[in-house]
């Protein structure tokens, strides 16, 4: 399975739980940190956790486990590290504060429809 296919599965898992303002950023174009960041907003702490859980469940179904997980205690920003893909689920306030899109402004955005 390609990293693009895995990214699409993670995107769909976020979308299934009504994640908002979902962005896919091609970090690999400007850094060796990973290939893609997926960044999304949730309307509440409960939804932050529900989205993160759904991403983890859907990727586990295809045999992919996160290398690391952060933020489950606060549930305001959960990071799931899958090596080539990092999934960031924020509440609205934290997404605005950390503004990853501005931090990685040189990295191109990816349209989900172009992923295999």
């Amino acid at each position: 399975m390609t990293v693009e296919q895995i990214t699409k599965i993670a995107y769909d898992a976020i979308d299934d739980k009504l994640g908002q303002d979902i962005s896919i950023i091609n970090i690999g174009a400007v850094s060796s940190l990973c290939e893609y960041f997926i960044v999304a907003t949730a309307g509440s702490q409960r939804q932050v956790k529900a989205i993160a859980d759904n991403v983890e469940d859907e990727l586990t179904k295809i045999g992919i486990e996160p290398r690391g997980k952060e933020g489950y205690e606060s549930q305001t920003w959960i990071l799931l590290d899958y090596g080539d893909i990092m999934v960031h689920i924020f509440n609205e306030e934290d997404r605005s504060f950390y503004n990853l899109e501005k931090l990685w402004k040189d990295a191109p955005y990816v349209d989900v429809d172009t992923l295999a």
Side-chain angles (χ1 to χ4, degrees), residues 17-60:
K17 292 295 180 183
L18 307 178
Q20 304 161 8
D21 196 18
I22 308 168
S23 298
I24 302 170
I25 306 170
N26 184 352
I27 299 298
V30 296
S31 172
S32 62
L33 180 64
C34 67
E35 285 298 313
Y36 297 106
F37 271 9
I38 304 173
V39 183
T41 303
S44 67
Q45 288 179 317
R46 176 181 275 164
Q47 189 184 20
V48 169
K49 183 181 182 310
I51 291 170
D53 287 347
N54 199 46
V55 170
E56 195 170 355
D57 291 346
E58 291 302 312
L59 292 180
T60 296

Side-chain angles (χ1 to χ4, degrees), residues 4 7-8 11-12 15 24 109-116:
E4 287 78 15
T7 301
K8 174 77 165 88
Y11 178 97
D12 289 343
D15 192 46
I24 302 170
Y109 283 79
V110 176
D111 183 345
V112 69
D113 295 330
T114 65
L115 298 173

